[in-house]
Each structure stands twice: as C-alpha cells, then as structure tokens.
C-alpha cells in the first residue's frame, strides 16, 4: 500500500487537523502550504502516509471507511477532550465505563471513533 487518500475541500487545513490528531508530520522535502491542493502527511515511523486531495464536491453521506483511534497518551476521555479542542465535533456518544466509543467528525465532517485504551479495557475487564 502506498498511502491512504482523503478527499476534502481544504487539503492544507484538514492535513493540519489530522497531523495534530495522529502525530504525523508533513514531508520535509516537500512542505505543504495553505492553498495547496494536495498535502501529504507521514507517520512518525514513515510506514504510513495520508494524502489529502482537494475535490470540488462537499462530503454528502456517511463515510464508508473510518479510523478507530486508541489513545496513546492518557485515556479515552482526555483524548476526546483533546480532539474536540483541535476542532473535532462529537456526533454520537456511545461511551460506557466498560467500553463503547465516541464518534467524532473532523472539520469537514469525516467520522472517526475514539476507543478505550488497552489499559482501560483491562481495568474494566472487557478484553
């Protein structure tokens, strides 16, 4: 696999949001700037790439593919708060003490979920 592509209205703004969410960074050899129609992010280990591509049409239906995120630092509640502060929107709250998830949307309406961490699942006995 080469990369995962995301259609969007503003490639730069959405790449900045997802860089903050995932801890990815732009390609230092080809830095992205506001107004760029294509923006590339690289995972910290360089193994995964996200390519944001501007398209003329807006998002109109639920995603057929979405990311399920497991927090790395802190727990699920802290991660949801962090992502909301970055510009995400809470769409559906399915959180339970023993599991569940929060459904959020990025600034362009693409849905993604935040799960419990492994440690939280172990403590809740839901592994």
């Amino acid at each position: 696999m080469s990369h995962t592509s995301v259609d969007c209205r503003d490639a730069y703004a959405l790449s900045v949001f997802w860089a903050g969410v995932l801890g990815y960074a732009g390609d230092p050899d080809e830095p992205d700037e506001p107004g760029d129609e294509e923006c590339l992010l690289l995972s910290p280990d360089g193994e995964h790439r996200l390519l944001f591509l501007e398209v003329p049409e807006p998002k109109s239906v639920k995603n057929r593919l979405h990311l399920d995120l497991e927090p790395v630092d802190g727990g699920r509640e802290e991660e949801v708060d962090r992502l909301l502060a970055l510009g995400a929107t809470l769409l559906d709250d399915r959180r339970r003490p023993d599991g569940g998830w929060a459904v959020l949307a990025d600034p362009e309406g693409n849905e993604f979920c935040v799960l419990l961490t492994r440690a939280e699942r172990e403590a809740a006995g839901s592994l």
Side-chain angles (χ1 to χ4, degrees):
M1 177 169 81
S2 172
H3 57 273
T4 302
S5 297
V6 179
D7 289 350
C8 55
R9 299 293 299 222
D10 185 337
Y12 182 77
L14 203 56
S15 71
V16 169
F17 172 81
W18 281 102
V21 170
L22 299 172
Y24 284 28
D27 183 346
D29 296 329
E30 294 184 37
D32 296 314
E33 298 180 5
D36 285 354
E37 294 180 359
E38 296 181 5
C39 294
L40 181 68
L41 293 178
L42 308 170
S43 63
D45 62 7
E47 293 294 316
H48 186 249
R49 299 181 296 178
L50 283 174
L51 179 62
F52 296 87
L53 303 164
E54 288 189 6
V55 297
E57 64 276 353
K59 179 183 177 297
S60 60
V61 297
K62 185 178 186 285
N63 305 15
R64 300 286 290 184
L65 171 77
H66 71 266
L67 301 177
D68 287 339
L69 305 178
E70 183 177 313
V72 176
D73 297 320
R76 179 182 61 194
E77 304 314 311
E78 294 86 4
E79 185 68 357
V80 168
D81 290 344
R82 184 181 80 84
L83 298 176
L84 292 172
L86 285 174
T89 303
L90 181 64
L91 296 180
D92 191 9
D93 195 342
R94 298 182 179 207
R95 293 176 279 187
R96 300 183 322 270
D98 65 340
W101 55 90
V103 181
L104 290 95
D106 71 17
E108 292 203 12
N110 299 300
E111 299 92 359
F112 62 99
C113 296
V114 180
L115 312 173
L116 289 175
T117 65
R118 177 180 266 300
E120 288 172 319
R121 290 190 314 273
E122 288 173 354
S126 60
L127 261 187

